[in-house]
Amino acid sequence: MQKTLSIIIPIYNVETYLEQCLKSVVCQLDEGMESLVEVILVDDGSTDGSGQIADRYAQSRPGMQVIHGPNAGVAAARNTGIKLAQGEWLYFMDSDDWLADNGIAMLLAGMKRYAEADMILFDGYRNSAAKEQPWEHFAHSKRWRAGRKLHKLQRGVLYYPMDFPECRVSLAAPWDKLYRRVPAALRHPVSGAAAGAGRYGL
């Protein structure tokens, strides 16, 4: 059965952070939520205890699966997740991040509110040491449907992340966006300067 949301988490040697990351996800997956959301953990050849941590969490969650493979880089790991995803929407979560309380519900609400969108940007927080700093794209909520502004935004996400002066933060990060899944169309480049930098081939 198709899911509404696939959360894809590439993992490589992050045992220090992975527990907090996965706890922030599974605590929001009650029985009702698991019918809508799947979680795909891609262990990219970790040499620490990350793979075992991922396995332990997935054992008790039917909506969570783990794939173990040789180290090929974060872009290849995300592509593996894309191939397995059943969700209408994709969210690429970094394994050293964590979701805010009620974060998954907010993502689902955003999909419903902007049902005509192909990509949704959302704000968050960056944590550096003991400091929590807002990660905000724009001063106000915005929509782009057509025209030069939309084209420039697309260029900013795909190729030139700093070439969109209206945006307060880089557009290159993959973890602050939801993407509508288009089979065989969304892939991360796995070589060159763009590999793993949050830029996509569409």
Side-chain angles (χ1 to χ4, degrees):
M1 185 178 77
Q2 184 179 19
K3 303 286 187 176
T4 301
L5 174 63
S6 297
I7 300 176
I8 298 170
I9 308 177
I11 296 169
Y12 180 71
N13 289 357
V14 285
E15 64 179 4
T16 302
Y17 310 103
L18 190 57
E19 290 268 4
Q20 184 176 16
C21 170
L22 298 182
K23 281 180 181 178
S24 76
V25 175
V26 300
C27 73
Q28 301 183 40
L29 294 178
D30 56 26
E31 290 185 7
M33 196 71 79
E34 284 185 338
S35 67
L36 302 173
V37 180
E38 66 174 353
V39 183
I40 301 172
L41 310 177
V42 184
D43 175 24
D44 187 36
S46 295
T47 58
D48 63 359
S50 298
Q52 291 91 332
I53 294 171
D55 286 336
R56 174 161 49 84
Y57 272 82
Q59 284 174 359
S60 60
R61 288 289 173 177
M64 180 179 287
Q65 61 176 308
V66 183
I67 297 89
H68 298 280
N71 180 245
V74 64
R78 291 188 182 118
N79 287 341
T80 296
I82 291 171
K83 291 176 184 177
L84 296 169
Q86 298 296 313
E88 180 184 358
W89 289 84
L90 304 177
Y91 173 49
F92 301 103
M93 183 175 179
D94 285 353
S95 52
D96 59 351
D97 291 345
W98 61 91
L99 286 176
D101 295 342
N102 208 35
I104 293 178
M106 288 189 285
L107 294 178
L108 294 172
M111 298 172 209
K112 186 175 181 180
R113 180 178 180 184
Y114 303 109
E116 77 285 0
D118 292 315
M119 182 180 71
I120 301 172
L121 285 75
F122 54 88
D123 297 332
Y125 292 91
R126 293 186 68 179
N127 291 272
S128 178
K131 292 185 178 180
E132 187 172 80
Q133 300 174 325
W135 179 270
E136 298 176 341
H137 293 90
F138 304 101
H140 306 286
S141 178
K142 292 180 178 287
R143 293 191 189 202
W144 290 273
R145 290 188 172 88
R148 295 179 65 184
K149 281 280 189 180
L150 178 59
H151 180 66
K152 192 168 185 179
L153 178 66
Q154 290 171 330
R155 282 169 49 87
V157 172
L158 293 172
Y159 307 112
Y160 306 106
M162 299 307 294
D163 190 28
F164 202 82
E166 289 185 48
C167 190
R168 296 174 170 179
V169 296
S170 170
L171 287 168
W175 52 261
D176 59 1
K177 303 172 186 70
L178 287 168
Y179 301 87
R180 187 181 298 279
R181 183 171 65 92
V182 181
L186 180 64
R187 293 291 183 273
H188 285 252
V190 294
S191 63
R199 304 179 192 178
Y200 301 82
L202 290 171

